[in-house]
Amino acid sequence: MQNFEPVSPQIHGDVRIDEHQLPVLYSHFHMLNVELKEAVQASSEFPLFFSKVANSQRWTISALCGLGLNENVFVQRDEWVAHYTPLSLQTLPFSLQIEGNNGEHSLLIDSASAAVNTKSGSALFLSSKRPSAFLDNKRKLLEERSMAMAQTGALLEEIATMGLIRAVDLIIEYTDNTQQRVGGLATVNEQQLQTLDAEQLALLNGKQCLSVLANILGSIFQLNRLIRLHNKKYPGKAISNIKLETSKA
């Protein structure tokens, strides 16, 4: 269970982060948030979909890393095998807490994380109690991600308003001839995209959204890689194929 608390030199002066333990944390995420600014790079590794933020109608971009809860096939034998690591993972085991309406925030650490210890890894503070370069870098990454999340949310709302998001289900076909339907995902409405006029296309292109939409569409072929990694990690429930269907929900 996570236990986030404000980072301070008085409490965490001796704390270190062992980044070799981070894949243990990654292994519990079957979907990862990906921000608009990193979607093109992430599409070279993961199948990307749209999904709704929990308890919200807001859309986000998600990298599909597994087909069941707590299944991440990009973690093999406790090693992260993807060549790109999304910001949502790079910032672990830290988080930002927004305070009030003035935009100020405080840095939090998950003290229950397997990466947190007092013996090995990168120190959070120097002997002078000043933040280490490691901690400063994590804070900068968190601030970068916070701004990227706001940009992603605003642009996806605009994309959804244009009818460019359509819900899909994954039909997973196992080698034992059983099937499983996975819902809650969406992809680019390619047919609607083709009907946009020059002004709408120019608007999307000006916001660097067209390339993102194209790469999200192309990333569907990364499902083949997902299958290979799944079958390597879970040979007892091997998959033969994954198909996309327009959601009936």
Side-chain angles (χ1 to χ4, degrees):
M1 182 178 293
Q2 294 177 321
N3 182 35
F4 282 99
E5 54 191 35
V7 175
S8 74
Q10 291 76 26
I11 299 174
H12 305 103
D14 296 327
V15 167
R16 294 176 174 270
I17 303 300
D18 184 355
E19 295 197 289
H20 293 102
Q21 297 297 320
L22 289 178
V24 176
L25 307 183
Y26 302 170
S27 65
H28 298 297
F29 301 111
H30 75 289
M31 293 178 70
L32 299 173
N33 282 357
V34 171
E35 307 311 329
L36 207 71
K37 62 176 289 183
E38 57 181 343
V40 172
Q41 192 170 2
S43 69
S44 67
E45 293 278 350
F46 316 101
L48 300 182
F49 293 91
F50 301 115
S51 64
K52 290 286 182 70
V53 176
N55 303 315
S56 168
Q57 291 302 304
R58 185 167 57 86
W59 288 102
T60 188
I61 303 172
S62 294
L64 186 65
C65 297
L67 299 168
L69 293 177
N70 297 315
E71 290 185 1
N72 189 329
V73 301
F74 290 88
V75 177
Q76 300 275 339
R77 296 183 178 179
D78 293 334
E79 290 189 10
W80 179 245
V81 297
H83 295 291
Y84 180 71
T85 305
L87 285 170
S88 57
L89 293 185
Q90 290 184 49
T91 51
L92 292 177
F94 299 94
S95 181
L96 280 184
Q97 178 174 279
I98 307 300
E99 300 175 343
N101 298 320
N102 55 9
E104 291 189 9
H105 50 260
S106 58
L107 182 64
L108 307 179
I109 184 172
D110 178 13
S111 60
S113 167
V116 176
N117 71 98
T118 57
K119 296 181 179 178
S120 63
S122 301
L124 301 189
F125 294 95
L126 306 176
S127 57
S128 62
K129 301 300 182 181
R130 291 175 56 84
S132 66
F134 171 83
L135 187 59
D136 280 340
N137 183 57
K138 288 293 184 180
R139 182 187 288 275
K140 289 175 183 176
L141 281 174
L142 282 161
E143 292 171 349
E144 177 186 345
R145 187 188 174 209
S146 180
M147 290 186 291
M149 288 173 67
Q151 179 196 35
T152 299
L155 289 175
L156 289 188
E157 184 176 347
E158 192 169 348
I159 288 169
T161 301
M162 297 172 73
L164 295 176
I165 296 178
R166 69 178 178 96
V168 293
D169 290 342
L170 299 184
I171 309 301
I172 305 168
E173 299 176 345
Y174 294 94
T175 55
D176 63 2
N177 296 320
T178 60
Q179 289 189 351
Q180 175 187 0
R181 181 181 289 267
V182 175
L185 301 174
T187 189
V188 178
N189 187 335
E190 193 171 5
Q191 290 72 30
Q192 181 67 15
L193 183 62
Q194 292 172 352
T195 68
L196 298 184
D197 58 33
E199 184 178 350
Q200 290 172 311
L201 290 172
L203 176 67
L204 289 175
N205 190 49
K207 296 180 178 180
Q208 299 181 327
C209 286
L210 273 183
S211 60
V212 170
L213 295 178
N215 278 275
I216 289 175
L217 276 172
S219 75
I220 288 173
F221 293 106
Q222 297 294 352
L223 285 171
N224 294 322
R225 186 183 187 200
L226 190 75
I227 292 172
R228 289 195 300 272
L229 290 173
H230 173 96
N231 291 349
K232 182 178 180 180
K233 190 168 185 176
Y234 304 110
K237 52 177 181 178
I239 295 169
S240 59
N241 190 33
I242 298 177
K243 298 186 295 187
L244 267 65
E245 281 189 6
T246 300
S247 176
K248 300 173 183 177

